[in-house]
Amino acid sequence: MARTLEYFITETDRDLTVKEYLTRKEFSSRSLIALKKVPGSILLNQKPVFVNQPLQTGDRLTIQVFDETASEKLLPVRLPLEIVYEDEDILVIDKPAGMPIHPSAGNYDSSVANALAWYFKEQDTPFVFRCINRLDKDTSGLTIIAKHFVSAGILSACLSRRKIHREYLAIVKGSLTPRQGTVSAPISRKPGSIIERAVDFEHGETAVTRYELKDTKNGHSLVSIHLETGRTHQIRVHMKHIGYPLIGDYLYNPDMERIKRQALHSHRLVFPHPITGQKLEFISPLPEDMERVLNPIASHAQEK
């Protein structure tokens, strides 16, 4: 993956060094180190410079991202893949339930990473898999993929600084009370388990989840959930903590009567583009299996 970025220096940025300017653009330390290692990656007015070079009004700073390595151990596999957005820096994928993000034991060749390895192999383009907001295997919906190390570093910083706004839709049994609230309860690995997490006020890491009831139908509640932190299984653990676990969740609430996977969907993403800064917004509608829980008669009629 190769990408050329152009920046034109204004009076506001005069006398900043290249490093200071790129840091303001949210280039990570790791990205700056990677750029310095490759001759010709940083050009000022078409001439190579060091990152301590001061900038002047009217200068043209060119960053050439040479991301030519590839994830060699990643098996390219032709799999269905719904790409809802793509440009030179990112992709946004609408992931189906049941598809893992990364290969793992038992899922060596069925992940989003495998599918994208095939996608870029067909274009004869080296590809390193860099997922920004990872989803559990059985969680459906929107996820962001960075195409090169610069966009990955900027988006990772955006995520940690809460500049990527993530809204999920979840279904719980019964009528959620109160209708909205915030769960602030630290989470850690459950003792004796390598997978499960639990609320742990003594040893857990800070975790904050906001929720709001959207609808109650067919004895179930559709809940909008916003993450302020991103702990493993955070939504699933927090909703169980307040007494409303997600239905279909084999780890935390194996209620499979209405759905065979945790009823959780990455519904909406809002974030600044890592290079242009433009606000991007994407929405994925409620998937059919979750819709069927709330409207079983209508869903059955549509199938006919």
Side-chain angles (χ1 to χ4, degrees):
M1 192 73 64
R3 175 76 161 103
T4 299
L5 308 173
E6 296 275 7
Y7 300 99
F8 294 91
I9 307 307
T10 65
E11 182 67 21
T12 304
D13 304 312
R14 184 171 62 87
D15 293 332
L16 291 177
T17 65
V18 170
K19 181 179 180 179
E20 290 169 337
Y21 179 82
L22 293 178
T23 299
R24 287 191 178 186
K25 294 292 183 182
E26 306 217 47
F27 279 53
S28 67
S29 297
R30 179 178 291 185
S31 293
L32 291 173
I33 291 170
L35 290 169
K36 287 191 293 183
K37 287 181 177 179
V38 181
S41 290
I42 303 174
L43 304 174
L44 187 62
N45 303 320
Q46 300 303 305
K47 296 180 180 180
V49 293
F50 296 110
V51 294
N52 60 354
Q53 173 71 36
L55 300 169
Q56 299 300 320
T57 303
D59 281 346
R60 182 172 67 171
L61 179 64
T62 304
I63 305 299
Q64 300 192 93
V65 183
F66 300 110
D67 201 1
E68 296 299 328
T69 59
S71 301
E72 295 180 358
K73 295 182 179 180
L74 187 56
L75 179 67
V77 182
R78 188 172 187 172
L79 298 168
L81 190 66
E82 185 174 352
I83 298 174
V84 299
Y85 177 82
E86 180 178 12
D87 62 24
E88 293 179 285
D89 306 297
I90 64 170
L91 300 104
V92 178
I93 306 294
D94 197 343
K95 185 186 85 67
M99 188 179 203
I101 291 287
H102 294 278
S104 60
N107 296 292
Y108 177 68
D109 57 0
S110 59
S111 70
V112 172
N114 296 119
L116 284 174
W118 176 276
Y119 178 74
F120 285 102
K121 180 183 177 182
E122 290 293 286
Q123 301 173 39
D124 196 27
T125 301
F127 173 68
V128 177
F129 185 65
R130 299 181 175 96
C131 183
I132 304 304
N133 61 312
R134 282 171 268 186
L135 304 177
D136 294 333
K137 174 186 174 183
D138 288 331
T139 298
S140 55
L142 299 170
T143 186
I144 310 167
I145 310 296
K147 279 192 170 184
H148 51 78
F149 66 82
V150 171
S151 59
I154 294 172
L155 286 169
S156 294
C158 286
L159 189 65
S160 64
R161 295 170 187 167
R162 301 179 186 176
K163 292 183 178 181
I164 299 179
H165 302 285
R166 297 165 286 170
E167 180 185 358
Y168 291 77
L169 293 176
I171 297 177
V172 302
K173 195 168 186 177
S175 182
L176 179 67
T177 305
R179 295 179 61 90
Q180 62 182 24
T182 300
V183 183
S184 182
I187 293 174
S188 68
R189 195 184 303 274
K190 185 178 180 179
S193 175
I194 61 172
I195 300 175
E196 288 186 71
R197 267 55 176 181
V199 169
D200 183 343
F201 286 96
E202 186 175 354
H203 303 292
E205 295 181 288
T206 301
V208 181
T209 304
R210 293 183 290 113
Y211 68 89
E212 179 182 1
L213 178 66
K214 302 300 289 185
D215 201 0
T216 301
K217 285 185 178 180
N218 194 33
H220 294 78
S221 293
L222 179 66
V223 188
S224 169
I225 297 174
H226 293 263
L227 290 177
E228 293 191 12
T229 54
R231 307 302 175 199
T232 300
H233 297 176
Q234 178 174 318
I235 292 173
R236 299 159 69 185
V237 170
H238 272 177
M239 293 306 292
K240 180 179 180 179
H241 178 67
I242 65 172
Y244 291 93
L246 276 58
I247 61 170
D249 190 335
Y250 74 98
L251 274 180
Y252 303 105
N253 180 37
D255 173 8
M256 307 293 183
E257 180 183 1
R258 301 287 185 179
I259 193 170
K260 302 303 180 185
R261 55 102 175 186
Q262 69 250 14
L264 184 61
H265 181 65
S266 177
H267 168 62
R268 180 171 172 262
L269 289 174
V270 182
F271 60 96
H273 189 281
I275 304 304
T276 68
Q278 177 188 358
K279 178 183 175 181
L280 300 176
E281 180 174 1
F282 303 97
I283 293 177
S284 172
L286 198 67
E288 193 274 336
D289 61 347
M290 290 178 65
E291 181 66 39
R292 195 187 306 126
V293 174
L294 303 172
N295 299 291
I297 296 177
S299 298
H300 182 66
Q302 288 178 359
E303 288 175 1
K304 286 186 174 182

